[in-house]
Amino acid sequence: MAVAARKSKAPAQSKSAGKPARARSAKDGAGKAGPALSNTPTFTKEEDLHAYREMLLIRRFEEKAGQMYGMGLIGGFCHLYIGQEAVVIGMQMASKDGDQVITGYRDHGHMLACGMESRGVMAELTGRRGGYSRGKGGSMHMFSREKNFYGGHGIVGAQVSLGTGLAFADWYRGDNTVSLTYFGDGAANQGQVYESFNMAQLWKLPVVFVIENNRYAMGTAVNRASAQTDFSRRGASFGIPGEQVDGMDVRAVRDAALRAIEHARSGKGPYILEMQTYRYRGHSMSDPAKYRSKDEVQRMREEHDPIEQVRARLVREFKIGEDELKAIDAKVREIVNDAAEFATHDPEPDPSELFTDILLEPAQG
């Protein structure tokens, strides 16, 4: 049985995929994950099934990671992506092979969306040899050149400069690829972000800056920490276009991503997407999240959950039966349970690994 969390080829895009949805303005409620816009494009049955499977894999993986953290099998920091699944899946459905992804420390969902194996990701969380950084990086530091995933970065906002550098390499090589650079509403206030914006627009680099606005950064509401809460406008002084997107609706995300990526790929320079999303858990596993009410979290789960939205459409519009949906969930759980079993029993790194991956060895010959 294959246990990899592959980036399966997204189904052919529906005819309505290219029709632009209205960008959310500040009047729509800055910092709020709202309902799907009325002119959100529709998905075909195959597209909704694809999105459902991929988002469910992230959800079940993160739930299992939370359990293993509670059991002491995962140490250090562990930031879960539960609630934000539509953002990365919608973006990946609009991307092409060769496009790169880079993000911060809430990164497990991005890895799975890029096609990295669930075994390797979970093994890195538990510090085992089979992990993507051979057990030395943990939750926040793993990479895959093969899958064009460049981290996983623990320093707040550091990945924005690196993602801009990836876009510079794309521009220099002329290989028609795009850098998808993710960061959060808290990181959006870092100085290096604006240095990167300036360079990206000056050189018209092919980069899409994806701001995952989950409303609370590390634990402070956006309206208490940011003078400008419409993050899509953060590039205005550099002439970078941007828009706000309902990040809880995978269709709205894919639609906006198609426009943004095409803008960057066609040589017009960077684009900013503010994904208005929401995390259900605390900032990390050690955060009790007392800065928001339980009613608020419950309301978001009941009214805006990205997976339940797709599930409801599959039942309502495509007459998918409960048995088929349960079978999909069972298959996903099988993959995740296999990853957890592997990550629990895989050997720890040999002590000699302390001396590897420190310096880049010069090419021989």
Side-chain angles (χ1 to χ4, degrees), residues 1-5 57 118 330-340:
M1 181 197 72
V3 296
L57 175 63
S118 52
K331 184 66 174 179
V332 167
R333 289 179 185 273
E334 184 180 353
I335 292 171
V336 171
N337 289 335
D338 174 86

Side-chain angles (χ1 to χ4, degrees), residues 5 15 68 89 131 161 172 177 185 227 267 294 319 326 361:
K15 293 182 179 179
M68 295 176 71
I89 295 304
S161 300
Y172 188 82
T177 52
D185 50 288
K294 292 182 179 179
K319 312 304 179 186
K326 288 180 179 179
E361 296 293 335

Side-chain angles (χ1 to χ4, degrees), residues 26 30-31 213 222-224 226-232 234 244 274 276:
N213 178 9
V222 292
N223 60 357
R224 297 183 62 192
S226 298
Q228 172 56 275
T229 57
D230 183 346
F231 292 93
S232 68
R234 289 299 184 95
Q244 291 181 315
E274 178 198 344
Q276 297 184 333

Side-chain angles (χ1 to χ4, degrees), residues 314-315 318-326:
L314 288 170
V315 172
F318 301 112
K319 312 304 179 186
I320 300 295
E322 286 295 327
D323 289 345
E324 184 173 348
L325 292 172
K326 288 180 179 179

